[in-house]
Amino acid sequence: MKATAKAHTNIALIKYWGKRDEALILPTNNSLSVTLDGFYTTTTVSYKPELTKDTFTLNDEVVVGEQYNRVTNFLNKVRDIAGKQLYAEVKSINAVPTAAGFASSASGFAALAAAATKAIGLSLTESELSRLTRQGSGSACRSIFGGFAEWQKGEMEDGSDSFAVPVAPKDHWDIRVAAVVLNAKMKKVSSRSGMKRTVETSPFFKGWVESIPSDLEAIKQGILERDFHKVGEVAEANCLKMHATTLGANPPFTYWLDTTMSVMQTVQELRSTGVPAYFTIDAGPNVKVLYLPQDEEKVLETLRNISGVTDVRLSRVGQGIKYLEDEELV
């Protein structure tokens, strides 16, 4: 009873920011993302009768505390669905900076969900797997799919209609994403606590939610028509609106560093010189820059020359869940 799955992280172009149900991880708004090939998690789950509790290693280090609890709580959901009370050995390798605004939980829980369900003998559809994955990490439900995916917030109280659906496949459009690494350390305010504080205290939150449907309609049209300027403009504005809500929270907070602002200004300067590039930022200091293949050399050189930038990692549009055999892990 063993399976290995590889999942890629995703970057939200229309942000997920706010829950209507904390326990079930049900969002206040739909979100839309692109899956990235450069950041991923590979997870092997082995159910073993001799185990008396779950074990979890990440990058060959034993994990305890809150991270371990999130994994074992998720495995409890898988065991309940399967009707089997077997403990698991979970081994994950993360090619993502953990908890620095690089959506490490997205690829992590997508890979965990895929490997855990397959290993225990469940055969789920992509929609069912996405709905289950959402209960580990909200954004992870979008990483079930490659290309562009939309997480539908749903209306049902039990969350049965809240899962991701594909918008366009991996091969639909060759856009690129440069992940600009400023600070790979853990965040002072986690996504979960920051989101909760914003929902409960920010007067700007209501306006944020009300702006989503028009953003979503515009960006989906842009993706389907391969209109880079439209997609970039909507994504950048949506990102700035999301981060504005944190400044209105009580107490106020921001994920940005001074270098974050430098990257944002540099991207805008690139545009003024005729290079189409747009930024988006999740709940962290690091910036992701959208650009087209023909501009890669110019964009890369410009970003690497910014003071305070420690690395620039390039991605293309990535694939959805992939199940690996033992020989592929070598």
Side-chain angles (χ1 to χ4, degrees), residues 2 12 37 42 45 68 142 144 185 197 241 299 313:
K2 174 182 175 182
D37 74 346
T42 305
V45 175
Y68 170 82
R142 298 186 306 244
I144 302 303
K185 296 177 182 175
R197 188 191 305 178
K241 282 186 286 190
V299 169
R313 297 171 64 173

Side-chain angles (χ1 to χ4, degrees), residues 91-102:
K91 294 183 176 181
S92 286
I93 300 296
N94 227 2
V96 189
T98 303
F102 275 109

Side-chain angles (χ1 to χ4, degrees), residues 15 19 65 91 97 120 123 156 183 240 242:
K15 302 299 186 190
K19 298 187 186 81
K91 294 183 176 181
I120 210 166
S123 182
M156 305 291 286
N183 182 351
L240 291 172
M242 176 202 127

Side-chain angles (χ1 to χ4, degrees), residues 20-21 24-27 29-31 127-128 130-132 134-135 141 150-165:
R20 61 184 173 93
D21 187 307
L24 293 176
I25 312 185
L26 298 177
N29 62 275
N30 286 26
S31 56
S127 296
E128 290 169 337
S130 176
R131 183 167 53 222
L132 173 63
R134 184 204 78 228
Q135 296 172 62
C141 77
E150 178 184 353
W151 175 12
Q152 299 177 330
K153 67 184 181 73
E155 304 295 336
M156 305 291 286
E157 285 188 15
D158 65 358
S160 56
D161 58 348
S162 181
F163 51 86
V165 295

